[in-house]
Amino acid sequence: MASRRGQGTSPPMPPGATGVAPNGQASSSRSNSYPQMSLNAMFNAPARISQPHLHPDKLNGALWFSIDPSVNAFIRATWQAYYMGPWKSWRSVPDERRDSWWQTFVQNYYWEQQFNDLVYALWKKETWSSIGERISTKKRKNKQPKYINDKDWTTLLEYWATEEARKKSKKAADSRTSDPEGKGVYTHNAGPTVETGEPPSYTALVRRTHTKKDGTFGDYRAKELVTQAEIEVTQVSNTNSDGSPQSPTATSASSRILLNQAYLKNAKGKRGNVYGLGSAQYREHAPSARVPASLARNLELELRVSGLETSFQTVSADVSAVKADVSAVKEDVATMKNDFAATRAAITELIQSLRPQPPSTQAQDPSTQA
């Protein structure tokens, strides 16, 4: 039977891509052949600037993971076009094949250098998760995918029939449907969301993605984490004038950071992720550090910056008050000068009026009298 792998075909170009010119620049198909140009050369290739741009804030119409479906679709099309072995998951894929998929993505999208770690982390997450989901779906349906040839599919079927594979599969299924506290299986009720302006607090984000249309939580763990974080922040927040506790909100940077820190403290998972945040937890995460530690460090820095901004605003207000006081003093000094000048003029006039007057020149001469 003919191979179903479709070797020699390239993944579809992303929207807006012009392809890479044949003047020494590698193309999408060449990124999956060896030897390859160095990764640094790919990053610095002038042709990349003409490819679709990626930016977490979607500046100037840029694309981003999970928000623009074309990005995730290109990732899936890339690994499916070059799936050349009996690989049951991302961990089974050889390093050189993973590298070639990543190089294909690098050559077909452009992003600023400061986002290199973030883009790689999200690309890797989409790749390994989509591989696992697609292969598992085909396994359950007992349907051979077009991107796996007959020989490799037979090898996979033989592995899945072993006792070891059956035990792993059952353990994973039990974990997905676990209900340790008898309050229901973990659920997620919202798809990708686009954030504008100041980012929401973690508690606000989890409320949005884990509540039903009537506003009630559909996930008991999300409800407990959000409630616990809000209670902790309420206990340390300022009180109203009547002595009642002030409800925490995410309207100010400081309260948002406190809510995020309280939520992060209790939501850390055993596998190095944060429960309930989805792809949002990877926005400011570098692959060199675990997600909770990376987010905690970012929150600490943000809180310090917020404190510095508050201190700067206080100092600015104090300086403005001093300037106002100086202006008032200057006005008082000017008034005093005017008053002193008027007083001096009055004193001068008084002194002149008290001086003796000279005799009148019109007095009659005695020699003229008869």
Side-chain angles (χ1 to χ4, degrees):
M1 183 178 296
S3 172
R4 300 163 60 93
R5 179 184 300 154
Q7 296 184 20
T9 60
S10 300
M13 299 293 289
T18 60
V20 184
N23 55 353
Q25 306 294 342
S27 66
S28 176
S29 59
R30 284 184 58 191
S31 68
N32 288 276
S33 60
Y34 302 93
Q36 300 175 358
M37 62 193 303
S38 70
L39 193 58
N40 286 336
M42 293 181 187
F43 274 117
N44 298 323
R48 283 190 70 224
I49 196 68
S50 63
Q51 305 299 340
H53 287 213
L54 299 176
H55 196 284
D57 297 326
K58 294 180 60 61
L59 298 181
N60 300 320
L63 307 175
W64 195 244
F65 299 86
S66 299
I67 298 176
D68 298 283
S70 60
V71 179
N72 299 68
F74 181 80
I75 294 174
R76 293 192 299 269
T78 299
W79 67 258
Q80 289 179 5
Y82 300 101
Y83 208 80
M84 302 177 179
W87 308 321
K88 57 184 180 296
S89 65
W90 163 267
R91 294 182 179 181
S92 304
V93 180
D95 290 341
E96 62 270 15
R97 183 55 53 190
R98 299 181 190 178
D99 293 341
S100 72
W101 294 343
W102 168 238
Q103 290 161 359
T104 298
F105 190 79
V106 170
Q107 293 175 356
N108 285 279
Y109 286 94
Y110 173 83
W111 57 88
E112 297 175 12
Q113 185 176 2
Q114 60 178 316
F115 301 123
N116 280 351
D117 287 345
L118 176 59
V119 170
Y120 177 76
L122 294 176
W123 170 86
K124 179 179 177 181
K125 177 179 180 296
E126 173 60 25
T127 303
W128 65 254
S129 62
S130 60
I131 289 177
E133 292 170 358
R134 297 302 171 100
I135 299 297
S136 295
T137 299
K138 296 298 183 180
K139 171 189 171 184
R140 288 194 301 271
K141 295 181 178 180
N142 195 25
K143 183 178 180 180
Q144 180 180 350
K146 295 180 180 180
Y147 46 84
I148 299 180
N149 64 22
D150 297 337
K151 180 180 178 181
D152 292 340
W153 182 248
T154 300
T155 302
L156 288 174
L157 292 177
E158 292 174 350
Y159 168 77
W160 290 328
T162 62
E163 186 65 22
E164 176 187 3
R166 290 179 181 274
K167 288 182 178 180
K168 286 185 177 180
S169 179
K170 185 178 184 305
K171 183 178 180 180
D174 293 341
S175 177
R176 288 192 298 269
T177 58
S178 63
D179 182 14
E181 300 185 22
K183 299 180 180 180
V185 181
Y186 303 160
T187 58
H188 189 281
N189 300 318
T193 58
V194 180
E195 304 297 343
T196 58
E198 182 177 298
S201 64
Y202 292 163
T203 53
L205 179 61
V206 175
R207 279 186 181 278
R208 182 188 309 171
T209 57
H210 292 76
T211 54
K212 303 176 183 178
K213 293 182 179 180
D214 59 1
T216 60
F217 277 93
D219 184 334
Y220 79 88
R221 187 182 180 193
K223 178 181 179 180
E224 290 181 346
L225 290 172
V226 169
T227 303
Q228 185 175 1
E230 292 180 343
I231 290 176
E232 290 181 7
V233 175
T234 300
Q235 292 174 346
V236 298
S237 64
N238 296 328
T239 57
N240 295 321
S241 57
D242 59 356
S244 60
Q246 183 179 7
S247 298
T249 63
T251 56
S252 65
S254 58
S255 60
R256 176 175 58 82
I257 295 171
L258 291 176
L259 282 169
N260 289 353
Q261 288 180 327
Y263 183 87
L264 184 62
K265 180 180 65 175
N266 301 309
K268 292 185 292 186
K270 295 181 179 179
R271 296 185 177 181
N273 58 353
V274 181
Y275 184 82
L277 297 186
S279 61
Q281 63 189 291
Y282 298 99
R283 282 181 176 269
E284 302 176 2
H285 159 246
S288 58
R290 283 183 174 271
V291 173
S294 181
L295 293 180
R297 182 173 60 252
N298 292 340
L299 288 174
E300 181 65 25
L301 292 175
E302 190 175 356
L303 186 60
R304 292 182 181 180
V305 171
S306 177
L308 291 175
E309 292 176 346
T310 302
S311 300
F312 177 76
Q313 293 173 356
T314 302
V315 172
S316 299
D318 292 341
V319 170
S320 298
V322 171
K323 287 183 177 179
D325 292 341
V326 171
S327 299
V329 171
K330 287 182 178 180
E331 292 178 359
D332 293 341
V333 171
T335 302
M336 291 174 62
K337 286 183 177 180
N338 294 333
D339 293 343
F340 179 75
T343 301
R344 185 172 59 179
I347 293 174
T348 301
E349 184 179 355
L350 178 61
I351 292 174
Q352 290 177 352
S353 66
L354 294 176
R355 288 178 180 176
Q357 297 296 324
S360 174
T361 58
Q362 297 180 357
Q364 187 176 7
D365 188 351
S367 63
T368 61
Q369 295 181 358

